[in-house]
Amino acid sequence: MGDALRGKRGRSTEQLSYRWRPALMAFFLRRVDSRAEAEDLTQEVLLRMLDCDLPAGEPDSYIFRIAQNLLIDRARKTMVRDRYRQRVAHEPERMLDPLDPHRIAASREQLAAFAAALAELPERTRTMFILFRLENLSQETIGAAYGISASAVKQQIGKAMATLSGKMRDLR
């Protein structure tokens, strides 16, 4: 691979790795729990070093400032994730299993009851309801197809909604 990856100042990844990897690994191993994470952080510092102009002379403080900033970013991300996990864990619905067989059966029963209630509607009312609520046709378009006004369609849809709501409420 040689000097395939070169930064702004002609540095290769091998040169940077040879010079800085041991010190960076030691720095990160004292501060993180896992060797793999220390490797990842070290690699991130080396990549950032390729992309930046290091100060003249000894760039130790600059490089370790990059490392320290990575640790700060890591701590912030961990804190945000932990807060999110705590908040989600306290949500009451979070304890419900979305694939709970009882919930699936109950939902199927509700859907069957809705289909039965829909089937009980007069055909014209049912068709208007389906065209409006499921097919997203406007009341004007439906009215034009049936040769009635949009307000008449609105009344039919309102009757359908009242009937369906009442039947679904009775199920509970």
Side-chain angles (χ1 to χ4, degrees):
M1 190 160 188
D3 290 336
L5 293 175
R6 289 198 168 276
K8 288 183 177 180
R9 298 262 177 141
R11 296 179 301 264
S12 73
T13 52
E14 285 87 13
Q15 290 169 334
L16 289 174
S17 182
Y18 179 78
R19 167 70 176 96
W20 294 103
R21 181 172 292 280
L24 287 168
M25 280 297 294
F27 176 82
F28 287 125
L29 284 172
R30 285 191 300 270
R31 290 163 176 83
V32 298
D33 298 334
S34 127
R35 182 167 184 80
E37 193 166 0
E39 284 283 349
D40 289 344
L41 290 166
T42 299
Q43 189 64 29
E44 180 66 26
V45 172
L46 294 174
L47 288 173
R48 288 185 185 193
M49 288 168 58
L50 279 175
D51 290 337
C52 69
D53 291 324
L54 294 176
E58 283 298 312
D60 293 6
S61 62
Y62 185 77
I63 291 168
F64 284 98
R65 174 42 68 193
I66 293 172
Q68 186 64 36
N69 287 343
L70 280 176
L71 286 174
I72 291 168
D73 289 347
R74 176 182 167 269
R76 285 182 188 144
K77 287 177 187 175
T78 301
M79 191 170 53
V80 168
R81 286 184 191 123
D82 289 345
R83 269 194 248 139
Y84 174 76
R85 286 184 190 123
Q86 288 173 356
R87 189 177 73 235
V88 169
H90 288 73
E91 292 176 7
E93 292 179 5
R94 186 71 179 162
M95 301 308 286
L96 298 176
D97 181 6
L99 298 178
D100 178 31
H102 299 293
R103 288 185 60 211
I104 292 171
S107 296
R108 285 183 179 163
E109 286 175 14
Q110 287 176 339
L111 187 58
F114 181 79
L118 190 60
E120 290 177 14
L121 291 174
E123 183 179 348
R124 182 176 169 176
T125 304
R126 179 177 58 244
T127 303
M128 287 182 189
F129 176 80
I130 290 171
L131 289 173
F132 182 71
R133 298 298 283 180
L134 301 178
E135 300 295 330
N136 295 320
L137 292 179
S138 69
Q139 293 174 356
E140 292 79 17
T141 304
I142 298 169
Y146 279 94
I148 60 176
S149 69
S151 63
V153 172
K154 185 176 183 178
Q155 288 176 347
Q156 290 294 314
I157 293 169
K159 287 178 185 177
M161 288 293 294
T163 302
L164 293 171
S165 295
K167 292 193 182 224
M168 295 308 291
R169 202 175 309 116
D170 292 344
L171 272 172
R172 293 180 188 169

